[in-house]
Amino acid sequence: MGYDLKLRVWRGDENGGGLVDFTVPVEEGEVVLDAIHRLQATQAHDLAVRWNCKAGKCGSCSAEINGRPRLMCMTRLSLFDPAEPVTVTPLRTFPVIRDLVTDVSFNYEKAKTVPPFTPPEGLALGEYRMAQVDVERSQEFRKCIECFLCQNVCHVIRDHEENKQHFAGPRFFIRYAELDMHPLDTLDRKRQLRDEHGLGLCNITKCCTEVCPEGIKITDNAIIPMKERVVDTRYDPLTRFIRRFRSPEQPRRPAPERQGQTAADS
Amino acid sequence: MTTQSRVPSIPAPAAPRTGRRAPVRGRTLRTDRWWAQPAVTVAVLTSFVVYSTWAAFVDRDYFWEPYLSPFYSPCLATRCGLVPGSQGAPHVGIFGSWWIISPAIIILIVPLGFRLTCYYYRKAYYRSFWLSPPACAVAEPHRRYTGETRFPLILQNVHRYFFYLGFLLNIVLSYDAVIAFRDHQGRWGHAGLGTLVLVLNALLLWAYTLSCHSCRGIVGGRLNHFSRHPVRYRLWTWVSRWNRYHGQIAWVSLVWVALADLYVRLVAAGWITDVRFF
Ligand code: SF4
Ligand code: SF4
Ligand code: FES
Ligand code: FES
């Protein structure tokens, strides 16, 4: 059964804007993105909105719906009381381009500063051999669709713009975890993760985990284990002492010092 | 080229991009009761702290053969057994007779430090007491934020040492649960409601301790080749399964340890009589 949805959408650009009220007819089973598309097709032809797959797999349609970071294409309207308006605003943590579209290049700049997978020298593509149990943990993190909802919700940068310089954010903490736990990776990234990418700024309050549409246990499976690994190498005198006598499982080279500044830093 | 449809032209931006965020007003646009969870956390944690502080300092009514309150175990001063409601309490007199205030203060440092630096409780109190953030996508009130990078919060990194100590303490509390299978005269093979309370207490504390994130790292999380360490991989899988419920276990075991103290206290003070099963 269809009904008239009261939709409140943020419209504007970096110079100003505000919430605008619309009434959009919707059908049973529809999602917020359907309503936004109908609004665009019938009333607000110049409404800017980014989307691609409508299947929760491209990570383009991230927005804040009734104040909560969500994918518009995966948020059913049946979640909301039809009598109440539904508010859709752009991601708060990134600069707005127009209406619901934000500039998420902060994340691409950070991505560039994470040293890539570095297999042992002399091992060519196609020669990688590893046991499934050894890569299982890393595989969870490969599910990431880069919607950046976790980056957006993280209070470290959401509420403190100045931290953007020294904080990579949960999406890249899972990238670090993926590589650090990888059986064939040869770099030791823990110093960089702590000193340059601000693992210590995270206070494990788990909002990234709460919003991740892929259900990745970002805090429990990546951030906390990486914090523990940093303790192993940095703070715990006992593990450091033991490590001196026992060769680690696989010797790792420290990650190279960062070359120059990136756009996100300047 | 006559059929080309008219595309409405998008006006060019008036000025170069400034990189400003969308000026959305308000601390949050959330419409649900996001404040409920932090409010409940504050209420429960505050009640626990008030009760346990009182129970730790009151220094009486913590032993009734064969039950010893978990707050006073192990008792590290010879003072144990001398105050009312403690006659016959077992003690290890490391601290001797010069320790004249409540002996609970000595040992409670372990569970206090363990829970204070626990990854789960950190989340709970950062959110509810420090409002950093109070709930997801609700702005925090602080102007500056340095997370766990500075003193004193950088000390949270000692958590694993409290895990080791907590582990040892659990062995003692399990011993207390075992000796609770006696009657008031010390004969074995008996049990009462207090026995059940102390056994559950020990089990819950084991569940809490073994589902700890540091434990997960120590048993296997720090390895990169599980396939070369089958035993540790097993342990890690097992701890990981429990670790998922660490938050819930943290609450249940917290409340239960206070109830266990309360039960022993009421029995020792003579307010209620222990229900004997056999
Ligand atoms: S758990 Fe850490 S990274 Fe995730 S949202 Fe909270 S502060 Fe940010
Ligand atoms: S980790 Fe989850 S929330 Fe973060 S970018 Fe990836 S899919 Fe999105
Ligand atoms: S449109 Fe692809 S995730 Fe929503
Ligand atoms: S006891 Fe909670 S994480 Fe260690």
Side-chain angles (χ1 to χ4, degrees), chain A residues 119-176:
Chain A
E121 265 166 49
L123 203 59
L125 277 175
E127 290 176 356
Y128 301 170
R129 296 289 177 271
M130 48 212 143
Q132 176 59 28
V133 290
D134 293 347
V135 280
E136 225 144 41
R137 275 178 302 177
S138 296
Q139 280 170 342
E140 176 185 10
F141 310 131
R142 300 293 298 185
K143 291 193 299 182
C144 174
I145 59 171
E146 302 222 297
C147 63
F148 304 129
L149 287 175
C150 56
Q151 302 284 85
N152 169 61
V153 80
C154 180
H155 69 117
V156 176
I157 47 177
R158 185 182 175 94
D159 297 341
H160 305 277
E161 177 78 27
E162 71 280 5
N163 282 338
K164 277 189 179 170
Q165 252 186 50
H166 338 276
F167 187 72
R171 193 272 167 263
F172 298 103
F173 294 158
I174 65 173
R175 175 76 176 141
Y176 267 104

Side-chain angles (χ1 to χ4, degrees), chain A residues 55-206:
Chain A
K57 283 292 168 237
C58 72
S60 307
C61 65
S62 304
E64 303 195 1
I65 302 169
N66 282 353
R68 295 188 134 197
R70 286 175 178 282
L71 294 180
M72 287 189 275
C73 71
M74 296 304 281
T75 307
R76 286 178 164 266
L77 288 169
S78 57
L79 218 62
F80 308 105
D81 178 356
E84 296 292 323
V86 169
T87 310
V88 186
T89 51
L91 300 181
R92 267 204 204 206
T93 305
F94 306 117
V96 65
I97 296 177
R98 199 168 119 164
D99 301 337
L100 298 178
V101 177
T102 50
D103 173 5
V104 293
S105 53
F106 162 80
N107 302 291
Y108 304 129
E109 295 304 329
K110 288 294 173 188
K112 287 184 206 157
T113 64
V114 181
F117 175 61
T118 314
E121 265 166 49
L123 203 59
L125 277 175
E127 290 176 356
Y128 301 170
R129 296 289 177 271
M130 48 212 143
Q132 176 59 28
V133 290
D134 293 347
V135 280
E136 225 144 41
R137 275 178 302 177
S138 296
Q139 280 170 342
E140 176 185 10
F141 310 131
R142 300 293 298 185
K143 291 193 299 182
C144 174
I145 59 171
E146 302 222 297
C147 63
F148 304 129
L149 287 175
C150 56
Q151 302 284 85
N152 169 61
V153 80
C154 180
H155 69 117
V156 176
I157 47 177
R158 185 182 175 94
D159 297 341
H160 305 277
E161 177 78 27
E162 71 280 5
N163 282 338
K164 277 189 179 170
Q165 252 186 50
H166 338 276
F167 187 72
R171 193 272 167 263
F172 298 103
F173 294 158
I174 65 173
R175 175 76 176 141
Y176 267 104
E178 174 199 333
L179 295 169
D180 206 70
M181 296 172 185
H182 197 288
L184 285 185
D185 190 69
T186 56
L187 288 191
D188 184 354
R189 299 174 168 80
K190 289 180 267 292
R191 186 205 57 80
Q192 192 182 32
L193 174 58
R194 176 189 174 275
D195 297 350
E196 288 164 27
H197 283 158
L199 185 68
L201 284 170
C202 162
N203 67 352
I204 51 170
T205 35
K206 285 200 178 172

Side-chain angles (χ1 to χ4, degrees), chain B residues 54-55 74 85 106 114 125 167-168 203 211 259:
Chain B
W54 172 77
I106 316 170
F114 191 28
Y125 64 76
F167 192 95
L168 296 178
L203 289 177
S211 62
L259 287 178

Side-chain angles (χ1 to χ4, degrees), chain A residues 10 13-19 45 64 66-69 87 89-99 103 131 133-134 136-137 153 155-164 179-184 194 198-208 210-211 217 219-221 224-225 227-229 231-232 235-239 243 246 249-250 252, chain B residues 8 10-11 13-32 34 37 118-120 122-124 126-127 130-150 154 156-161 164 213-218 220-229 232-233 236 240 243-244:
Chain A
W10 194 89
D13 58 22
E14 58 202 340
N15 299 311
L19 294 169
H45 305 296
E64 303 195 1
N66 282 353
R68 295 188 134 197
T87 310
T89 51
L91 300 181
R92 267 204 204 206
T93 305
F94 306 117
V96 65
I97 296 177
R98 199 168 119 164
D99 301 337
D103 173 5
V133 290
D134 293 347
E136 225 144 41
R137 275 178 302 177
V153 80
H155 69 117
V156 176
I157 47 177
R158 185 182 175 94
D159 297 341
H160 305 277
E161 177 78 27
E162 71 280 5
N163 282 338
K164 277 189 179 170
L179 295 169
D180 206 70
M181 296 172 185
H182 197 288
L184 285 185
R194 176 189 174 275
L199 185 68
L201 284 170
C202 162
N203 67 352
I204 51 170
T205 35
K206 285 200 178 172
C207 288
C208 47
E210 257 179 51
V211 300
K217 299 278 176 274
T219 321
D220 283 353
N221 288 349
I224 295 177
K227 282 199 176 227
E228 283 292 307
R229 285 178 175 216
V231 177
D232 282 346
Y235 299 110
D236 183 354
L238 202 65
T239 43
R243 264 161 204 243
R246 275 215 339 230
E249 276 194 292
Q250 164 190 332
R252 290 201 166 188
Chain B
I10 295 169
R17 302 261 325 280
T18 56
R20 271 202 292 264
R21 302 180 181 200
V24 180
R25 239 166 270 145
R27 192 170 168 214
T28 184
L29 293 176
R30 276 180 72 163
T31 49
D32 56 337
W34 55 264
Q37 214 181 353
C118 161
Y119 285 96
Y120 174 74
R122 270 144 77 180
K123 171 199 166 201
Y126 286 146
R127 277 199 189 192
W130 194 238
L131 307 178
S132 176
C136 301
V138 179
E140 56 173 299
H142 311 287
R143 288 239 334 276
R144 270 174 55 72
Y145 173 86
T146 53
E148 300 186 329
T149 58
R150 305 258 166 94
I154 198 166
Q156 305 280 28
N157 288 312
V158 308
H159 181 60
R160 59 179 58 173
Y161 284 90
Y164 299 136
H213 286 278
S214 289
C215 175
R216 190 179 182 215
I218 292 162
R222 52 169 73 130
L223 300 173
N224 285 340
H225 295 86
F226 282 149
S227 53
R228 294 185 202 153
H229 304 265
R232 289 181 73 182
Y233 175 58
W236 178 84
S240 300
N243 178 262
R244 246 174 275 159

